[in-house]
Amino acid sequence: MDLEKTAAEQKKRKTNLAVAGGCVAFFGAMVGMAYAAVPLYAMFCQVTGYGGTTQRATQYSNRVLDREITVRFDANTAGVPWEFEPVQREVTIKLGETRQVAYKATNKFSTPTTGRATFNVTPELAGAYFNKVECFCFTNQTLKAGETVDMPIVFYVDPDILKVPEMKNIKTITLSYTMFQADKNKPVAAVGTKESGKAISNTEANLGG
């Protein structure tokens, strides 16, 4: 009887260990997938434009439709002591028409600082059809103390956007940029102007959105 009881206990212990091992393996797999999800999502967005990511074009559009769309521009900063805003709040163009616009940036800090812009388009589905041929966001931007520069963008909206049922009646697209500090080795004591002490931010609402 004792031998049977001991064998049963050993079998139960092995079963519990197997279940515990399976749980640990499952948890580890989930953690691994969570860490992998960020770069995979970023790669997916760059290829497809999912989540409002714009597309980088290597050539200008060769097809223009007699259908107009308004593109609005939005700007924000995060950790970089710049004034950053679009030169124009919006432009109205034809689908497929190539247009150049610009953002303006001023370094309000006492030393050179470097920024890098991230971008997004709303509605999100429009991101796959918003093509940028040239953009300041492709590289880091360094401004001297007090320097002001215009940062150009050359873009067009692919006429194929009308093939998407949800986009066939689209009239407005908003292109948003957030400028981050790129030179992390240079700490910024204050990311606002001396006058206000507030962070510099030009949201769509501030731009009259």
Side-chain angles (χ1 to χ4, degrees), residues 37-52:
V38 175
L40 287 175
Y41 176 80
M43 181 177 66
F44 179 77
C45 288
Q46 291 172 0
V47 173
T48 66
Y50 182 80

Side-chain angles (χ1 to χ4, degrees), residues 17-49:
L17 288 173
V19 172
C23 290
V24 170
F26 179 78
F27 178 77
M30 291 298 100
V31 171
M33 290 176 65
Y35 278 103
V38 175
L40 287 175
Y41 176 80
M43 181 177 66
F44 179 77
C45 288
Q46 291 172 0
V47 173
T48 66

Side-chain angles (χ1 to χ4, degrees), residues 62-91:
N62 58 7
R63 181 164 59 107
V64 179
L65 301 185
D66 191 22
R67 165 75 179 271
E68 292 186 335
I69 190 167
T70 297
V71 180
R72 305 177 70 187
F73 305 101
D74 180 29
N76 296 277
T77 60
V80 62
W82 293 4
E83 287 183 353
F84 178 59
E85 61 184 0
V87 174
Q88 298 171 273
R89 290 193 311 175
E90 63 180 45
V91 295

Side-chain angles (χ1 to χ4, degrees), residues 2-164:
D2 290 340
L3 292 176
E4 293 179 357
K5 184 176 181 181
T6 300
E9 290 177 349
Q10 289 179 346
K11 183 177 180 180
K12 182 177 181 181
R13 188 179 300 111
K14 289 180 179 180
T15 301
N16 291 339
L17 288 173
V19 172
C23 290
V24 170
F26 179 78
F27 178 77
M30 291 298 100
V31 171
M33 290 176 65
Y35 278 103
V38 175
L40 287 175
Y41 176 80
M43 181 177 66
F44 179 77
C45 288
Q46 291 172 0
V47 173
T48 66
Y50 182 80
T53 303
T54 66
Q55 302 302 291
R56 183 170 182 173
T58 57
Q59 60 184 14
Y60 296 101
S61 173
N62 58 7
R63 181 164 59 107
V64 179
L65 301 185
D66 191 22
R67 165 75 179 271
E68 292 186 335
I69 190 167
T70 297
V71 180
R72 305 177 70 187
F73 305 101
D74 180 29
N76 296 277
T77 60
V80 62
W82 293 4
E83 287 183 353
F84 178 59
E85 61 184 0
V87 174
Q88 298 171 273
R89 290 193 311 175
E90 63 180 45
V91 295
T92 298
I93 60 175
K94 293 182 178 181
L95 290 177
E97 176 187 353
T98 302
R99 177 68 63 93
Q100 177 172 318
V101 298
Y103 276 64
K104 179 178 289 186
T106 301
N107 180 11
K108 307 296 288 186
F109 204 51
S110 58
T111 61
T113 55
T114 300
R116 183 67 180 258
T118 60
F119 47 86
N120 194 29
V121 164
T122 52
E124 291 186 352
L125 286 177
Y129 302 91
F130 195 103
N131 293 271
K132 291 188 293 187
V133 183
E134 299 177 24
C135 182
F136 60 87
C137 60
F138 295 158
T139 59
N140 288 349
Q141 305 292 323
T142 300
L143 301 185
K144 300 176 183 178
E147 183 180 10
T148 297
V149 297
D150 284 344
M151 298 180 173
I153 311 162
V154 179
F155 71 94
Y156 64 90
V157 180
D158 192 333
D160 283 345
I161 194 172
L162 298 182
K163 295 180 180 179
V164 181

